[in-house]
Structure formats: C-alpha cells, structure tokens
Amino acid sequence: MKNFTILITALLSLLMMTLSSTVQAAEGIDATVNEVFGAATGWFVALIFAPIPGTSFPWIVLWLVTGASVFTLYFGFVQFRSIGHSIALVKGDYSNPNDAGEVSHFQALATALSGTVGLGNIAGVAVAVSIGGPGATFWMILAGLLGMASKFTECTLGVKYRNEYKDGSVSGGPMYYISKGFAEKGIPGGKLLAGLFAVFCILGSLGGGNMFQANQAHAQLTQVIGDYPGWITGVVFATLVFVVIVGGIKSIARVTDKVVPFMGILYVGAALIILIFNADKIGWAFGQIFTGAFTGLGVAGGLVGALIQGFKRAAFSNEAGVGSAAIAHSAVQTNEPITEGFVSLLEPFIDTVVICTMTALVIIITGQLVSDPQTGLYILNESGSILTADGSSGVALTSAAFGSTISWFPFVLAIAVILFAFSTMLSWSYYGLKAWTYLFGESKKMELTFKIIFCLFVVIGAASSLGPVIDFSDAAIFAMAVANIIGLYCLMPIVRKELTSYLARLKSGEIKKYKDIKK
C-alpha cells in the first residue's frame, strides 16, 4: 500500500510538472508570437488607428463619421423618414416567400445585429463614459443616428449586386458590389479594391470576430466559476459554432433570430429595472449627458474629449460603413434591394441609440462616476479617466453598475457576454466565409475548409493571449471601411435611383403588402 501511494504521488508530481512545463511552453509561444507578429504588423495597426495631427481623434473614425454624414444628406435624412416602413418590412408585411434569397428580413437583421451587439455595448460604452464623461453618450447617439444612412446605402447595394445560384443560395457584400458596380459604371480598379476588402474581411473574421470573442468569453467564465485551461472553452465553443455554421446562413439565422432577441430583452430588461428603481434620477442623468456634450464637465479633453470618445465607441460598436453587415443582409428574400436598406438602418439605432444609451444611463444613474460635491465636476484618476466608485473600468464597471441595484446581475452579465461572443462568432464566420469563397471560388470544399480553419482559431483564441494578433485583426476590420466607403461614394447614385423608384411605386400603390397581393 505504501509503495502504491508513493507511485501515485510520483505520477501526480510528474503530471503536474508536465502540465506546468506545457503552460510555460504555451506562454513562451504566446510571448514569441506577440513579439514577432507585433514587430511585423505594428506599422499597419498604427496607420489605421493613427490620430489626426494635433488631436487624439483617429482618422479612421472621422472617415466613418464623414461618410455617414454625406449619406445622411445625400438621401435626404432617409433614416428619419422611413422608420415606420422599416418596421413593417421587418414584421414581414411586404415579404413574399417566393422571392429570391435565403432568409427573412427579420433573420437578416438578427444575423447582422449579432455581429455588432456585443462587448462594444457593454465594455466599450463604459470606456467612453469613464474617459469622455456622460457627454460622450450624446455624441455616441449622434454617430449612431448618422450611421443609419451608411447601413442603408451598403445593404441596398449588397442585395442589388449579389450572386444568386441555382440551388437558391446567394453571395453578396462589398466585394461583389464594388467589383460588379465599378465594372457597370466603367470605373477602373474595382476588382483590386474588392480583393483588398475580402482579404481584410477574412483577417478580421478570424481575429476580432473570432479569437477576441472566444478569449473574452473564457475570461468572463473564469471570473464566475474559477480558473481553468482556455482550450476547454475553445473546444466547447468551436464544437457549438461548427454545428451551427456547417448548415450555412439558414442555420445561422435560425439561431441568431432566437439568441439576439433573447439577449437583447435580457440586457435591456435589466437596464429598465434599474432605471425604474432610479426614475427620479433619469432627468438629472440626461442633463449630465447634454451638459457634458458641450462643456465636458471637467473631463480630460473637455468637449473634444467627450466628442472623440462618443464617436469612437459608436463606430467600434455598430460598424456602420465597415461593410460587414451588407454580407448578411445580402442573403435576404426580396426582389427589391432597397427594402433591405430600410431594414438595415434599424441596426445602428438598436445597437447604439438604444442599447449603448441604456448602458451609459445605468452607469451614470447608479453613481459609478465620482464627482466633487462642491464643484460638481468629475474627479480624474492618475491616468486621466474619471475616478469610479470601486476603481473598475470596462466590462467590470458595467457589471458593478448593474450589480449595485441587482446583486445577482454580474452572473446574468456573464451569460450575456457568452451569448454575445457566440452570436458574434456565428455572424463573422459567415462574413469571413463569403470573403473566402469570393477569393478562392464557390464550392463546398472551399466552404468546409474555411469553416474548419475558423473553428481552429476559436480554440487558439480561447487558449492564448495574442495581443498584437487581436490588434491587427481589429485594424483589418476598420481597413474594410476604407475600401467600402470609397465604393459607396462611387455607387450611391445607383442607390438614390432605386430609392426614388421604390418610393414612387409605394406611393402609387403598385407595391402592396403581401397579404393584399394574396387576395
């Protein structure tokens, strides 16, 4: 018995030493990859997120906001004129099941939303408010409202220039409308620009839309249930993701049209409970938002700091102008491209105007931001951010804000983060797949190859801490916006022609609700 105990102890010691050396080796590999990859791609990351000279405002955010402003003016504030019709389309009032496409308007919207609603709404807003103060919320809302016009433009083009195949499947997105639209108008360089977009889309899908999501989901799980190896989370997520994505966009849509409403209701419902408990402070909170938007309320950078943070977080959250959503919306069942433009403009409204604003209000109302009782100005910490009640920031700040009223909400938030991460991976797997098949050909073999690669990166992301890889993939996602918005500027007259024709036929009664057509 004694010898057996010694043997077991020795085997356990050997196992622990092996695990320890494996962890150390993995950490060593992580460090090496970080160093080598960071040195090779740091210039690209710095270029994409470089500030405008003399400011701390990233030029890529100005590029997105400028595009959104141009489209808003060019289409006559279409996002404010068509909300009612957009909702009717989502409800299916004008949907004909015999139209070309693979998913309903609602499913296309849910799939695209699942790619944008996520950590940007939870952690990103907390960062914006803690650096730019409550005033950042105002500029975030404004950027979201303007971004609705960008989504309208890109998703209309996505449907108009999509490829429709004999089996009923479709492929669309910026790579298709840039290449086909430029060729139609005789504009040179379309294929090159489309190819660049596709490359950036693949890189972004494997990094920001995959590895980062798996990594953050594992981090949130370890906070709730304790520390354990990341590869376990990775394998579980990879298996679930593969089971869904192997069925294509219809399978993805069937999952997202259930997950997105559930997590939206869960999150917004909790926020509403807190706002109801603190109803007497809502007026004061909006006062802080409007006052802070134009004065800064003493935050670092003042008015400019609030504006920068608001615009930056809105751009990072709703991805209006990036072109990713146009890939999902291209799969919709419709013979009228403009209808999906109307549907898609609801995305930034739901993502930024509703969910991001809810998060900001909860943080402000629950007193997480520390102010000087005498001056009313916010107190800054050593890093220049606003001092918070318990020193937390990012997702921890949002968790603390909800937890201050609902003690068990941090557990709900953990579930929300996991669902957000999972649904984001589903959407970005589809975006990456369509970019992959655009470059390498439409075939089942090519599709399966990408899906396997994508799921392998889920495991890598959960088990690693590859900072520079994630930074590079984020930069790739926003590099997509450079190619996409150039394409939108060149093709927006086509969208206006579609809009004018559709509205005229809708007004004349030529376009009817489907239930009226059946009669």
Side-chain angles (χ1 to χ4, degrees):
M1 186 69 182
K2 183 178 179 182
N3 291 336
F4 179 75
T5 304
I6 293 171
L7 178 62
I8 293 297
T9 304
L11 287 172
L12 287 172
S13 299
L14 181 62
L15 179 62
M16 292 299 292
M17 288 171 62
T18 303
L19 286 173
S20 177
S21 62
T22 301
V23 171
Q24 289 177 0
E27 290 174 350
I29 292 170
D30 267 10
T32 302
V33 171
N34 278 339
E35 187 178 344
V36 174
F37 196 85
T41 63
W43 65 271
F44 177 72
V45 176
L47 173 65
I48 295 298
F49 295 120
I52 297 168
T55 73
S56 58
F57 197 86
W59 71 269
I60 190 65
V61 174
L62 181 64
W63 175 255
L64 288 163
V65 172
T66 301
S69 302
V70 169
F71 303 133
T72 294
L73 295 172
Y74 187 78
F75 295 110
F77 296 89
V78 65
Q79 63 266 55
F80 305 116
R81 295 189 289 122
S82 58
I83 289 289
H85 189 60
S86 298
I87 294 171
L89 287 164
V90 173
K91 286 167 57 184
D93 290 355
Y94 294 84
S95 298
N96 187 334
N98 298 317
D99 287 345
E102 298 184 79
V103 296
S104 68
H105 285 297
F106 177 76
Q107 288 177 321
L109 177 64
T111 301
L113 269 173
S114 70
T116 59
V117 176
L119 291 171
N121 307 82
I122 300 173
V125 173
V127 171
V129 174
S130 63
I131 298 176
T137 310
F138 175 88
W139 300 110
M140 193 163 51
I141 293 170
L142 178 61
L145 292 172
L146 293 173
M148 293 167 73
S150 298
K151 291 271 184 171
F152 168 80
T153 309
E154 62 193 11
C155 293
T156 298
L157 290 169
V159 177
K160 182 171 180 60
Y161 289 104
R162 67 187 180 182
N163 284 355
E164 298 175 4
Y165 304 106
K166 291 181 180 179
D167 64 356
S169 63
V170 299
S171 291
M175 51 275 189
Y176 290 94
Y177 60 69
I178 290 173
S179 58
K180 293 166 75 172
F182 276 38
E184 184 181 290
K185 295 192 70 175
I187 302 172
K191 287 189 175 181
L192 175 61
L193 197 62
L196 279 174
F197 177 91
V199 170
F200 290 136
C201 185
I202 291 169
L203 293 172
S205 75
L206 294 176
N210 179 340
M211 294 171 68
F212 175 71
Q213 304 301 323
N215 188 279
Q216 291 301 295
H218 176 68
Q220 191 68 24
L221 279 168
T222 55
Q223 282 190 1
V224 176
I225 63 177
D227 198 24
Y228 67 95
W231 64 264
I232 296 175
T233 300
V235 169
V236 172
F237 264 85
T239 303
L240 292 173
V241 168
F242 186 78
V243 167
V244 175
I245 68 175
V246 75
I249 185 62
K250 290 184 179 180
S251 177
I252 293 171
R254 280 195 297 269
V255 174
T256 55
D257 75 1
K258 295 176 180 63
V259 172
V260 170
F262 172 74
M263 63 190 187
I265 292 169
L266 180 72
Y267 190 76
V268 172
L272 283 173
I273 290 171
I274 291 173
L275 295 180
I276 291 169
F277 274 124
N278 298 276
D280 58 319
K281 297 180 182 177
I282 293 177
W284 168 80
F286 274 110
Q288 293 283 294
I289 288 171
F290 284 108
T291 304
F294 300 102
T295 66
L297 282 175
V299 301
L303 162 62
V304 176
L307 184 148
I308 289 172
Q309 287 302 317
F311 277 177
K312 184 190 292 186
R313 286 303 131 196
F316 278 62
S317 181
N318 63 46
E319 297 173 12
V322 169
S324 53
I327 301 173
H329 284 282
S330 297
V332 74
Q333 283 185 309
T334 185
N335 290 332
E336 295 281 355
I338 206 76
T339 59
E340 199 56 23
F342 286 130
V343 169
S344 68
L345 61 77
L346 294 172
E347 262 181 68
F349 184 83
I350 296 169
D351 177 279
T352 308
V353 179
V354 176
I355 299 180
C356 286
T357 303
M358 286 280 196
T359 303
L361 282 172
V362 169
I363 292 171
I364 297 165
I365 283 175
T366 55
Q368 299 303 307
L369 307 178
V370 179
S371 60
D372 186 327
Q374 293 184 336
T375 64
L377 299 178
Y378 288 102
I379 300 171
L380 305 183
N381 59 26
E382 293 178 356
S383 65
S385 299
I386 297 174
L387 187 68
T388 57
D390 63 353
S392 58
S393 61
V395 69
L397 175 57
T398 305
S399 182
F402 279 90
S404 65
T405 302
I406 308 173
S407 61
W408 43 263
F409 186 78
F411 296 98
V412 176
L413 187 65
I415 295 171
V417 168
I418 292 163
L419 289 175
F420 284 146
F422 179 62
S423 63
T424 299
M425 284 189 277
L426 294 182
S427 296
W428 274 95
S429 72
Y430 184 71
Y431 301 159
L433 172 66
K434 289 304 171 182
W436 179 273
T437 54
Y438 174 81
L439 292 175
F440 301 110
E442 301 271 357
S443 71
K444 296 297 181 184
K445 184 179 178 181
M446 279 295 122
E447 287 188 9
L448 184 60
T449 300
F450 178 80
K451 289 171 183 177
I452 292 171
I453 291 171
F454 189 87
C455 290
L456 288 174
F457 272 80
V458 174
V459 180
I460 295 170
S464 305
S465 54
L466 307 178
V469 176
I470 301 300
D471 292 341
F472 176 76
S473 66
D474 282 346
I477 288 174
F478 284 91
M480 290 162 59
V482 178
N484 183 50
I485 290 181
I486 291 173
L488 297 184
Y489 283 146
C490 294
L491 301 176
M492 61 186 187
I494 295 171
V495 178
R496 185 154 68 177
K497 185 178 178 181
E498 291 277 337
L499 176 62
T500 303
S501 170
Y502 181 85
L503 291 179
R505 287 179 288 130
L506 185 66
K507 186 177 180 180
S508 69
E510 183 181 341
I511 295 175
K512 299 182 175 70
K513 292 184 178 181
Y514 183 64
K515 64 181 180 181
D516 297 329
I517 295 173
K518 289 193 295 183
K519 292 178 182 178

